[in-house]
Amino acid sequence: MNDIKVAVLGSEGVGKSALIVRFLTRRFIGEYASSSECIYRKRMSIDGRQLNLELYDPCSQPCQGKSTLNEQIHWADGFVVVYDISDRSSFLTAKAIVHLIRELHLGGSKSRDTDSVIFLVGNKQDLCHMREVDREEGQKLASEGRCQFYELSAAEHYQEVVLMFSKIVRNASLGGKAKERRRRPSGSKSMAKLINNVFGKRRKSV
Ligand SMILES: Nc1nc2c(ncn2[C@@H]2O[C@H](COP(=O)(O)OP(=O)(O)OP(=O)(O)O)[C@@H](O)[C@H]2O)c(=O)[nH]1
């Protein structure tokens, strides 16, 4: 059975956990305790093939044994790089991450078959009245970084979120790079732990 590793990256508060929780539980919950990085596991069937998905959710806070961005990039087969459309600085961070992934993971390769493993996601589309990043800017970055582009809302879009994750898993699994498994970022979470996080103490405002 194939193991597919997807890292969800981006700056603090862009909605990385919200997107992952939406995908795994169908629910949008506005409170997350994210004091440690973690890996969520899900068994999936894509095109009739059984896959073990590992989804990496980094911790933006300083925490023990935290992996570096370089380690996260080397670990993953696919990347969801998230920014918040109502926060320009998060877009600049996403831009830097996309460039770093191309450099480290794909070795600056220009080959088309590597293009489909980086997804650029402008989250919080429901906050378009507070928009600081135009859709066209997202599309331009995606085309420069040879990424697939999505604008969506973890809060309001369930089907789109599922479609996006399903597609990156499929693309990463078709990448065909039977690369040797590198050190995984520390921390691993079961569904029970996920539920603890969802009902954790830390409160964030939108
Ligand atoms: N309006 C709106 N708020 C969202 C959306 N997605 C996430 N949020 C809110 O944004 C805040 C941050 O969400 P998180 O999922 O914790 O973001 P994160 O990127 O995992 O943050 P860190 O773990 O701190 O890096 C929370 O208050 C969420 O409820 C969205 O699509 N729309």
Side-chain angles (χ1 to χ4, degrees):
M1 194 178 307
N2 278 340
D3 289 337
I4 303 299
K5 299 174 188 306
V6 174
V8 182
L9 305 173
S11 51
E12 183 175 354
V14 294
K16 300 180 295 295
S17 305
L19 286 163
I20 293 172
V21 169
R22 188 65 138 149
F23 171 58
L24 295 177
T25 71
R26 297 178 146 249
R27 302 178 63 193
F28 173 72
I29 295 156
E31 290 180 37
Y32 305 94
S34 56
S35 54
S36 63
E37 55 185 4
C38 48
I39 295 169
Y40 300 111
R41 296 199 169 78
K42 182 178 170 70
R43 191 168 280 205
M44 293 179 71
S45 170
I46 300 264
D47 303 330
R49 288 176 302 139
Q50 291 297 314
L51 302 172
N52 284 322
L53 169 63
E54 294 191 2
L55 264 181
Y56 173 68
D57 184 3
C59 171
S60 304
Q61 319 293 321
C63 58
Q64 236 188 354
K66 185 171 165 161
S67 59
T68 64
L69 183 57
N70 282 17
E71 285 170 337
Q72 294 157 16
I73 291 172
H74 280 111
W75 171 84
D77 304 305
F79 305 89
V80 177
V81 181
V82 187
Y83 65 91
D84 170 353
I85 66 152
S86 67
D87 174 7
R88 171 150 293 275
S89 71
S90 74
F91 180 67
L92 300 179
T93 303
K95 191 173 193 167
I97 294 173
V98 166
H99 289 306
L100 194 62
I101 295 171
R102 289 222 67 91
E103 202 179 303
L104 293 179
H105 183 85
L106 306 175
S109 164
K110 291 198 164 56
S111 122
R112 291 295 314 170
D113 66 358
T114 59
D115 293 3
S116 49
V117 295
I118 312 175
F119 281 19
L120 178 67
V121 173
N123 188 35
K124 307 196 189 181
Q125 201 190 36
D126 55 295
L127 299 183
C128 58
H129 52 287
M130 295 160 64
R131 184 186 278 278
E132 288 185 1
V133 185
D134 290 335
R135 188 183 174 87
E136 291 69 33
E137 291 179 87
Q139 282 168 330
K140 184 161 174 277
L141 171 57
S143 120
E144 280 167 13
R146 297 197 297 283
C147 317
Q148 297 210 9
F149 178 66
Y150 290 81
E151 236 191 39
L152 44 77
S153 163
E156 293 188 349
H157 303 152
Y158 170 67
Q159 294 296 347
E160 287 86 341
V161 171
V162 170
L163 202 73
M164 185 273 292
F165 276 111
S166 303
K167 203 159 172 199
I168 184 103
V169 173
R170 176 182 287 112
N171 289 0
S173 72
L174 293 175
K177 268 196 315 141
K179 65 180 195 180
E180 92 283 12
R181 291 300 175 197
R182 302 173 178 121
R183 193 179 85 75
R184 73 178 40 155
S186 57
S188 172
K189 280 213 165 70
S190 61
M191 277 311 265
K193 217 56 183 284
L194 169 61
I195 287 160
N196 280 343
N197 263 8
V198 167
F199 295 105
K201 300 136 225 118
R202 191 157 70 93
R203 176 162 217 110
K204 288 183 180 176
S205 56
V206 181

